Amino acid sequence: MNDFDPIELEILWQSLISTVNEQARALQRSAFSPIVREAGDLANALFDQRGRMVAQAVTGTPGHINSLAVGAASMLDEFPPEALVPGDVLITNDPYKTAGQLLDVTVLVPVWRKVGGDEFPSIVAYFGSTIHHTDVGGYGIGAGGRDCFEEGLWIPICKLMIAGERNEDVWRFILSNVRQPDHMAGDLHAQMASGEVGAQRLAVLCDSHGLNDIEELSDEIINRSEVATRASIRTLTSGSFPGAAVLDLADGSQIDIVCSINVDAEAGEITVDYTGTSPASPWGINVVRNYTHAYTTFTVRSVLNPEIPNNYGSLLPIKMVAPEGSIVNAVLPQPGTARHVVGMFLPNALLKALAQIKPESSMAEGSGAVWTMQVSGAHEDGSPFLTAMFTYAGGVGARATKPGLSACSYPTGISAVPIEVIEASAPIHFHCKELREGSGGEGQQTGGLGQTIEFSVDTERMWELNAVTSRLVEAPQGIFGGEPGSTGAFTVNGEQVLTQSRITLKPEDVVRLELPGGGGYGAN
């Protein structure tokens, strides 16, 4: 390790965190999509010259940020520093190399700086962002796509900007294949602008502390994070600890998530093995390896050592085995637009295994993934409308010393888009939005409450709903004798919906969502 003065190191670290947080705030303030602007469905991070994630913003989702940590390296494999010039910006939504769905677009902005007495600038870092775009053509935010090519436009790793100018062919291809090109363009500009904000702040930081680049600082932060993570693993008991959970879908199908957490205390490493998990689904809920790794590492670290910064070093000691072609390691062309249904459910199995290792830090099963809705139709004058994705959360499982959170989904970090914003953007009318009393499982600590939402669409025409729901039959289980929470329900006019596909509804139809409650912790 380098000999950084502890006080200076802390100042530098806090400055890096402030820089990526400011990058995220700039993106969230300028984004067009409500799911980004209002709900915070985004990720921002700083990478060193070698493409290693050094620091992340505190906002956003684990699925995005930890996928971005891996995805940036894939982008730099295709465009190493010698293939870039000042003003270049990289882009992709390759689901198998980044966050697992075409709607999540990653933009990488290189930071250029003259190092020492060099005549020309060189790359000293990268600022990356991944956000959920409103639309990339194709099926939309639902599970009905039959393969990834039907789900939308695939943007390979390429240059969005070349030497500060638009790569016009790339822009034309993208904006010609989406339903709302102004939203798409606006969000892409917001991502690039946020990267530029980060680059400007990093330049000030380097100037203030006499740094040519951040490589020594990056080494220090990453090495310390890895050492601390391995030290926390060495306090555990070596062994293999199994866990499993069952996820049910609206069509009646079930998915088994099977895992074992293998602790090697001597090496300071943990390997999570998903052997035995269900094969890939015909529905668009399959999870790519990056996204599985993202929620796996987040869950393990949230129980093991949440106080250690999340970066390349703290992720390194956590390994993963996921059978290729299974629902947790999708391969081309398996669809995955609604991969969050499975990805956000993984902690329910992982926490059961972790409860055998650190019972005081684990918790009961929660509702799992947020329920997502996307409404499309036409106004009275015939002009089309398409809402961005809006989401709702059920109850979180109870913990050893605290009840579960209500209407707040672990493990994602996004908020619900306010109903006022949704009603202002489309002719949607909400009849109610309230907590489901009694839906949390009983125990020494009670599970969090689910919620009930009811809405219709003010239109004279037929309209369509892409809805992704789960846990309608299998209730979130309690732990250590705690009672299960309530199952969810998804109905139209009181009739249960039995499909994962987009449905067509009449003007007078009423949609009712009753989200599950979390399980209880400990017997009463």
Side-chain angles (χ1 to χ4, degrees):
M1 290 187 184
N2 299 294
D3 294 325
F4 275 87
D5 174 80
I7 295 176
E8 182 185 24
L9 180 61
E10 180 65 18
I11 291 171
L12 287 167
W13 169 246
Q14 293 300 329
S15 296
L16 290 181
I17 291 297
S18 295
T19 297
V20 288
N21 284 339
E22 188 166 353
Q23 176 201 7
R25 285 194 296 270
L27 174 53
Q28 197 163 1
R29 285 196 302 265
S30 55
F32 277 48
S33 298
I35 194 68
V36 178
R37 190 179 64 249
E38 303 290 343
D41 196 3
L42 74 163
N44 295 85
L46 167 67
F47 299 84
D48 64 13
Q49 289 176 348
R50 288 159 279 179
R52 303 179 303 173
M53 187 172 75
V54 182
Q56 65 154 101
V58 295
T59 187
T61 74
H64 279 162
I65 192 63
N66 286 356
S67 293
L68 176 60
V70 179
S74 296
M75 298 174 79
L76 296 178
D77 284 343
E78 292 204 25
F79 287 93
E82 57 270 21
L84 300 171
V85 299
D88 284 357
V89 174
L90 301 180
I91 184 175
T92 188
N93 68 346
D94 184 329
Y96 303 96
K97 292 182 179 179
T98 55
Q101 68 166 210
L102 295 170
L103 288 156
D104 289 335
V105 179
T106 298
V107 170
L108 198 63
V109 178
V111 181
W112 296 83
R113 181 175 174 82
K114 289 185 178 180
V115 177
D118 291 351
E119 181 180 357
F120 299 104
S122 57
I123 295 175
V124 297
Y126 302 86
F127 281 94
S129 64
T130 300
I131 71 170
H132 182 100
H133 281 251
T134 300
D135 173 58
V136 289
Y139 189 84
I141 183 66
R146 291 167 293 184
D147 60 32
C148 67
F149 301 107
E150 191 172 80
E151 292 181 309
L153 173 68
W154 183 315
I155 307 170
I157 298 172
C158 59
K159 291 184 180 182
L160 184 64
M161 303 288 287
I162 300 177
E165 301 292 333
R166 279 190 175 202
N167 185 349
E168 289 296 347
D169 287 340
V170 169
W171 282 87
R172 282 199 298 269
F173 269 117
I174 294 174
L175 300 184
S176 297
N177 283 280
V178 301
R179 298 176 180 90
Q180 295 178 301
D182 53 340
H183 281 210
M184 185 76 180
D187 282 342
L188 290 177
H189 280 290
Q191 289 185 264
M192 290 190 293
S194 73
E196 183 59 30
V197 167
Q200 292 173 2
R201 299 299 180 267
L202 187 65
V204 172
L205 172 64
C206 289
D207 290 341
S208 300
H209 293 270
L211 301 175
N212 284 328
D213 54 42
I214 63 167
E215 290 308 290
E216 288 188 0
L217 177 60
S218 169
D219 283 338
E220 186 75 6
I221 291 169
I222 287 172
N223 288 339
R224 283 173 176 261
S225 300
E226 181 181 353
V227 168
T229 300
R230 291 189 185 276
S232 65
I233 295 173
R234 290 191 176 102
T235 66
L236 306 177
T237 301
S238 291
S240 182
F241 305 90
V246 178
L247 172 66
D248 67 276
L249 304 174
D251 68 339
S253 60
Q254 291 189 339
I255 294 162
D256 293 312
I257 303 298
V258 178
C259 70
S260 63
I261 295 181
N262 305 304
V263 179
D264 184 342
E266 184 178 353
E269 289 187 355
I270 285 176
T271 300
V272 180
D273 190 340
Y274 285 101
T275 299
T277 291
S278 293
S281 169
W283 298 107
I285 58 172
N286 299 297
V287 187
V288 300
R289 182 180 175 86
N290 278 3
Y291 199 77
T292 296
H293 180 266
Y295 275 111
T296 299
T297 51
F298 175 78
T299 306
V300 171
R301 294 201 58 247
S302 66
V303 171
L304 180 66
N305 51 16
E307 72 284 351
I308 298 174
N310 189 57
N311 57 39
Y312 180 88
S314 56
L315 296 175
L316 200 58
I318 304 172
K319 315 297 183 182
M320 189 185 78
V321 175
E324 192 172 88
S326 69
I327 202 165
V328 292
N329 189 359
V331 296
L332 187 73
Q334 292 166 344
T337 289
R339 84 284 189 250
H340 65 281
V341 173
V342 174
M344 293 180 187
F345 184 81
L346 297 178
N348 286 310
L350 292 166
L351 287 167
K352 290 179 181 176
L354 289 164
Q356 302 165 55
I357 304 170
K358 294 190 71 174
E360 73 283 359
S361 300
S362 194
M363 64 184 185
E365 285 190 19
S367 60
V370 292
W371 287 14
T372 63
M373 305 287 130
Q374 188 178 52
V375 173
S376 58
H379 295 285
E380 291 186 7
D381 63 2
S383 60
F385 67 82
L386 172 70
T387 66
M389 179 179 77
F390 54 99
T391 65
Y392 296 109
V396 177
R399 297 153 288 177
T401 59
K402 298 177 182 178
L405 299 170
S406 298
C408 182
S409 180
Y410 175 90
T412 187
I414 63 174
S415 306
V417 178
I419 60 175
E420 294 84 358
V421 173
I422 300 170
E423 289 182 332
S425 63
I428 299 175
H429 173 65
F430 285 86
H431 302 256
C432 74
K433 185 176 186 291
E434 59 193 17
L435 294 175
R436 290 181 68 194
E437 293 298 331
S439 58
E442 295 294 330
Q444 291 179 6
Q445 298 293 338
T446 305
L449 301 179
Q451 59 178 317
T452 299
I453 300 100
E454 192 173 272
F455 67 90
S456 58
V457 176
D458 293 332
T459 179
E460 299 296 324
R461 302 165 180 263
M462 304 293 280
W463 56 283
E464 294 184 327
L465 173 66
N466 255 335
V468 183
T469 62
S470 58
R471 307 222 77 162
L472 307 178
V473 176
E474 297 288 335
Q477 296 300 300
I479 194 170
F480 300 127
E483 296 295 321
S486 298
T487 57
F490 171 32
T491 61
V492 174
N493 304 326
E495 297 293 326
Q496 186 176 355
V497 178
L498 300 174
T499 181
Q500 294 291 113
S501 294
R502 180 192 292 122
I503 57 177
T504 300
L505 300 175
K506 300 185 294 295
E508 65 273 14
D509 287 342
V510 176
V511 177
R512 185 176 178 87
L513 312 172
E514 298 179 56
L515 279 87
Y521 189 110
N524 273 326

